[in-house]
Amino acid sequence: ARRDSSSLGVEKKIGATAALPPFEEKMIWVDELKKEKSNYSYSQLRAAIYNLFPYTQNDKRELFSSQFFNDMLWVDKNRQHFIAGLFANLAPQECSPEFGGRLNRFVNAHKGLQPVVVKDLKISGQEGDRCRKIVALAEAGARQTPAPLLSQ
């Protein structure tokens, strides 16, 4: 098979590579995003970051969560808004009740964040709120008496 050397092909390859499970390799992309002069274009970094933690790897996203908050402050202070906004996409998921509210508390505790970061983190927090409500409703529905089976 021939390799796709177009910019889109390179971005797809970067995204697929970033999605691979080894946590240490994921941190290489985080470090690359934090560099003042990255070896990658913005679109290549975006491909890596958007694919870094697929939904099947929420455990790895959660493992990154403690580092995320410290790094988010640094990136917000030291990098341009488009890099800071891209980094905000690495925010931890808040679907589990024990993790709810972290993003809102972070935004409220750090009033000087760039507007794009505030917006992205608030949206992620709202998505977490909705997810927790959906899970609670689903669990409540599962506890109800099941409907009688239809005759065949």
Side-chain angles (χ1 to χ4, degrees):
R2 294 181 50 211
R3 292 180 184 235
D4 183 355
S5 61
S6 69
S7 60
L8 182 61
V10 170
E11 290 168 21
K12 296 291 184 183
K13 179 182 177 190
I14 288 171
T17 302
L20 294 173
F23 186 76
E24 298 75 26
E25 293 187 29
K26 293 177 179 301
M27 294 304 98
I28 292 170
W29 286 108
V30 171
D31 293 339
E32 193 66 40
L33 186 62
K34 291 169 32 182
K35 283 183 182 177
E36 188 168 346
K37 298 237 184 228
S38 173
N39 297 325
Y40 297 92
S41 69
Y42 175 75
S43 61
Q44 291 171 333
L45 288 172
R46 185 179 59 218
I49 296 305
Y50 283 175
N51 291 286
L52 202 60
F53 298 114
Y55 73 92
T56 58
Q57 296 178 18
N58 280 337
D59 58 327
K60 299 219 177 1
R61 182 182 287 267
E62 188 55 39
L63 185 61
F64 176 67
S65 66
S66 60
Q67 180 181 341
F68 168 79
F69 292 106
N70 290 327
D71 284 356
M72 185 73 258
L73 288 174
W74 187 89
V75 169
D76 182 76
K77 181 179 178 184
N78 296 292
R79 295 291 172 258
Q80 294 177 316
H81 69 280
F82 55 91
I83 296 294
L86 182 57
F87 195 87
N89 283 284
L90 298 175
Q93 298 292 322
E94 294 197 321
C95 195
S96 300
E98 65 269 18
F99 298 130
R102 292 181 294 184
L103 296 175
N104 289 331
R105 286 191 299 275
F106 180 78
V107 168
N108 291 334
H110 301 93
K111 295 295 184 187
L113 295 171
Q114 296 182 44
V116 67
V117 171
V118 171
K119 176 187 169 206
D120 288 349
L121 294 181
K122 282 185 174 182
I123 289 171
S124 292
Q126 291 167 354
E127 289 171 349
D129 292 343
R130 282 193 300 275
C131 182
R132 286 190 306 280
K133 288 177 185 174
I134 290 167
V135 168
L137 287 170
E139 288 174 349
R143 287 190 293 264
Q144 293 179 355
T145 308
L149 297 175
L150 298 175
S151 61
Q152 296 181 2

